[in-house]
Every structure is written in structure tokens, then in C-alpha cells.
Amino acid sequence: MTIVSVSNILAGKDIHAFPASFAQQRLWLLDQSQASSTAYNLFYTVRISVPLDVEALERSLHALVQRHETLRTTFIVRDEQPMQMIAPALIVPLARVDLQPLPEAKREAEALRLANEQAQQLFDLARGPLLRVMLFQLEEAEYLLLLVIQHIIFDGWSSGVFFRELAMLYQAFATGQPASLPDLPIQYADFAVWQREWLQGEPQSLPTGSASAQPAASSSPLRTDRYCTRNNQEGHPAGLPARDRDPTWRHPS
């Protein structure tokens, strides 16, 4: 079994601060009072059953993190209140685990054991990154992709956006085509600021995306036959702008 990983790198020093949303503030307080709990770690696994361009997948992950500020967010305290700190750039490593040396009958069980192990590791909200991504290779053209992410920046609704856009970016990078996702009308920090202004009676209008701006379903060659989630909490506290609730990669249950 071979594990390849790269240390995460914060690119640049200009980190911007914004107020946390009320839901993020609640989750931050829970994290402070339950420092050893992983109850708010979410994890998702996706089976990939085609030959995979791992470099294109890694480029897709980096592009997605750059596209969504919430994936580059950590939390610090100012005046006894949590603040969102958004890094201008962040490299989230794609850890690779080759399970092919194991007997075939044991590979998937080992992948799921390692996935559960990752899901039980704590996140440092002040340091980040607040997500981990791993790729388990079971056979030459058989993989499990794992996402573990802190609920303070993500929810079940966000997962559809994450995996659909990852598939669309992979389609572009793997075929040498330009990635053409529509511009995001808002980021999550915009909503958090608007929420505070609304409470003070001085709300500004939030831009909204039109239906025509929503990306169409991807025809990516990165097909999957399973989409599994564990979501420990209900609600939608934070995450990616939810343009479409349906992920590109979802196996009918």
C-alpha cells in the first residue's frame, strides 16, 4: 500500500476577514465547547469506474477551491467573536492511496476503514484547511474518492454543487478544453455580511443567479456508480452557493 501526499500551502499573505454567519457562529461555539468531537465532520465517497487522469482531477480540485471562498475559509476570534478568514489561494492536497498490492477481496474494506479513520480526525478551525480529499485506487480503472469536510463551511446541499462542478472541471482538464463555469453572483461571506446588515435594519440587496446561468448536467467521462454520504446534522448553515440541488454524480438509490 502506497500513500502519496503533499503538504498544504497557503499561497499569498493577504487574508481577508468577514463576520461569521449566525449558523457558523453557533457551530464555532459548539466546536469550542466540544473540542474533541468530530460530530460535525461530514464525509462523502464516490466510486469512479473508468481510467482516471489523476493530474486532471487534482487540477480540478485546486480550481474548485479557488472558485469557492468558503473552501478557503478558516476562523479566528476578534473582539470575542468568530470571524471568517478567507485566504486568497489555498492548495488542498489530493492524498493518493494505492491498495492494489492488497488481495482484491480486502481492498474495498481497507479503503472504507481508512475513510472512516480520516472522518474521525479533527479539524483545526483556526488553521485549516477545513477539508481533506483522498483517492483510493482499487484496480487499474477503479477508484474511491473521499471528501471529508467540516460542517461549518459545507452541508448536504453544497455537496451537489461540489461534485457536479468537480466533474465539469475534470471534463475540461482531461480533454484539454477550457473550463467554463459561470461566474458566481455571490460568495458565502457576502451572505454573512448581508445577514448582519439585515439584523441592523440596513440590508443591501444580494445578487441572485438566473436559471439560465445554471450549468447544464455534465457529460463527463468521470462516471461513478455510487454516491455515499454521512451527514451528522440537519440544516444548511454554510457552504457553496446552491445553484442546483442535484449533483452530477449520483447513483439512484
Side-chain angles (χ1 to χ4, degrees), residues 48 50-55 57 135 140-141 143 170 222:
I48 302 169
V50 294
L52 186 66
D53 184 337
V54 176
E55 181 180 350
L57 179 62
L135 182 68
E140 183 177 354
Y143 301 83
Y170 177 85
L222 193 60

Side-chain angles (χ1 to χ4, degrees), residues 49-171:
S49 300
V50 294
L52 186 66
D53 184 337
V54 176
E55 181 180 350
L57 179 62
E58 192 163 33
R59 291 177 62 197
S60 304
L61 174 63
H62 296 165
L64 195 62
V65 171
Q66 190 60 32
R67 173 173 168 80
H68 294 282
E69 290 179 353
T70 189
L71 300 178
R72 293 181 271 117
T73 298
T74 53
F75 295 82
I76 65 163
V77 180
R78 285 188 180 175
D79 300 325
E80 301 182 348
Q81 296 295 322
M83 298 285 292
Q84 298 185 68
M85 303 296 291
I86 300 173
L90 175 67
I91 302 300
V92 174
L94 175 64
R96 285 166 270 176
V97 182
D98 185 1
L99 297 174
Q100 294 179 98
L102 295 178
E104 184 176 354
K106 296 183 178 180
R107 294 173 192 170
E108 186 161 338
E110 178 64 7
L112 295 176
R113 184 190 71 79
L114 292 171
N116 277 281
E117 187 177 272
Q118 285 293 315
Q120 295 305 313
Q121 291 187 19
L122 294 169
F123 286 106
D124 185 341
L125 299 189
R127 183 178 179 183
L130 300 185
L131 68 157
R132 293 187 289 269
V133 185
M134 298 186 74
L135 182 68
F136 302 99
Q137 185 168 9
L138 306 177
E139 298 179 19
E140 183 177 354
E142 190 81 10
Y143 301 83
L144 283 178
L145 180 66
L146 169 71
L147 169 67
V148 183
I149 191 162
Q150 229 285 348
H151 192 33
I152 199 169
I153 63 166
F154 204 82
D155 61 13
W157 205 14
S158 303
S159 66
V161 179
F162 184 97
F163 288 109
R164 186 187 66 248
E165 291 192 355
L166 186 67
M168 295 175 74
L169 289 165
Y170 177 85
Q171 166 79 1

Side-chain angles (χ1 to χ4, degrees), residues 46 158-169 171 181 215-227 244-252:
V46 174
S158 303
S159 66
V161 179
F162 184 97
F163 288 109
R164 186 187 66 248
E165 291 192 355
L166 186 67
M168 295 175 74
L169 289 165
Q171 166 79 1
L181 293 176
S218 170
S219 57
S220 170
L222 193 60
R223 310 305 299 171
T224 65
D225 65 4
R226 187 170 68 180
Y227 179 93
D244 191 329
R245 293 181 182 227
D246 297 323
T248 298
W249 305 337
R250 175 173 286 171
H251 183 264

